[in-house]
Amino acid sequence: MDSKKAIELGAKVGQLQALMIAYATDGRTSDQPRAYRDQYSEVTLELEEAKYANPNPHKSLEVFYAFCKLQEMKTYASRRAYVEELYADVLLDLKRIQRHAPSSKNWGKANDVLADELTPIRAQWLKAKSFIYSTTPDFENSIKESISAVESCLMVLLNEPNGTLGKLIKQANLDPDIERLVSQAYGAASNKAFVRHGGTVASGLTKAEAEFFLEFAATSIVYITQKLKH
């Protein structure tokens, strides 16, 4: 995707968000539900073409508003915050494209193979990168999402929705040395404070460690999908 398309897609996402906010606050009109459905379909298709998962599960404004009530979002501010957070990772990545910011080639390769039944994992995979490059980076959560994306791939491909990476990797019939490396990376992430578990002292993790796990997870995702899907 080039910068121009990133700007256009970002604008369409913004229009969709504006409809959601207006409907859920004090700007409701009768023509919004239809406009939203049309815009939702267009945005979903363009996100799919750009190889993003649509993080918005609400296919109609009525369903979205019912969700707000169910989640007891009683204030306009809470509803706005929810809508803004919904597309935050996608919009952040589109801004990176607009600014021609460098991106990991391996991240893109992994995102490419997260197709078909693996498409839902794209949202998780995008978070792994966004946590590193956001204005307030969160390296612990980036590492968590990187390793969790590998785990999710194994869950889907092995049809084991309740499995864990430590157990699933043994069922995958991979090269023994690579299996050991992935298991060790999972163990290393689990041992870091505030990554997969809590902690009592600062983890000390930096961008370097987060990028290492992102790259390692990308390579692992590509390898695992090639072995298990083909």
Side-chain angles (χ1 to χ4, degrees):
M1 175 184 289
D2 58 28
S3 179
K4 181 181 178 182
K5 289 183 178 179
I7 292 171
E8 291 172 350
L9 181 52
K12 289 178 180 178
V13 169
Q15 292 166 5
L16 194 66
Q17 289 177 303
L19 285 168
M20 296 174 78
I21 291 172
Y23 193 83
T25 55
D26 58 353
R28 186 179 301 188
T29 61
S30 59
D31 62 331
Q32 288 169 347
R34 182 174 180 177
Y36 178 86
R37 286 193 295 271
D38 292 343
Q39 187 78 351
Y40 182 89
S41 297
E42 186 173 348
V43 166
T44 297
L45 289 173
E46 293 198 21
L47 286 173
E48 288 176 354
E49 289 174 1
K51 297 184 178 178
Y52 293 105
N54 189 345
N56 180 1
H58 312 299
K59 296 181 180 180
S60 73
L61 286 175
E62 294 86 351
V63 169
F64 164 59
Y65 192 65
F67 174 82
C68 290
K69 286 188 172 182
L70 184 65
Q71 297 297 314
E72 297 186 353
M73 297 182 198
K74 296 179 180 180
T75 66
Y76 290 168
S78 64
R79 296 169 189 174
R80 288 192 187 96
Y82 170 75
V83 173
E84 290 169 359
E85 180 62 26
L86 203 56
Y87 282 102
D89 291 319
V90 170
L91 291 174
L92 174 62
D93 210 50
L94 290 174
K95 286 181 180 179
R96 284 177 53 76
I97 295 171
Q98 293 170 35
R99 296 177 181 177
H100 305 287
S103 183
S104 163
K105 290 182 179 179
N106 285 331
W107 186 93
K109 289 179 182 178
N111 197 53
D112 286 344
V113 301
L114 293 175
D116 303 322
E117 73 270 35
L118 297 174
T119 298
I121 302 171
R122 280 182 174 163
Q124 182 179 39
W125 186 231
L126 182 56
K127 281 186 178 297
K129 180 168 72 170
S130 295
F131 275 128
I132 297 177
Y133 302 113
S134 67
T135 53
T136 53
D138 186 337
F139 303 130
E140 291 81 8
N141 268 318
S142 174
I143 293 172
K144 175 184 176 182
E145 295 297 344
S146 291
I147 295 301
S148 293
V150 179
E151 185 176 59
S152 296
C153 284
L154 288 166
M155 288 179 178
V156 173
L157 294 173
L158 295 174
N159 194 27
E160 293 282 358
N162 297 317
T164 62
L165 190 149
K167 294 180 179 179
L168 294 176
I169 197 71
K170 301 180 185 302
Q171 301 176 29
N173 195 31
L174 306 177
D175 177 90
D177 291 326
I178 294 178
E179 175 191 315
R180 185 160 53 253
L181 285 173
V182 176
S183 294
Q184 288 173 342
Y186 177 73
S190 297
N191 290 335
K192 300 297 183 185
F194 304 107
V195 177
R196 293 187 63 86
H197 306 289
T200 57
V201 295
S203 67
L205 293 169
T206 69
K207 183 179 179 181
E209 286 81 28
E211 287 185 330
F212 171 85
F213 276 95
L214 186 73
E215 292 293 325
F216 182 84
T219 304
S220 299
I221 288 170
V222 172
Y223 172 75
I224 287 169
T225 53
Q226 287 177 344
K227 294 291 287 187
L228 298 185
K229 291 188 72 171
H230 306 292

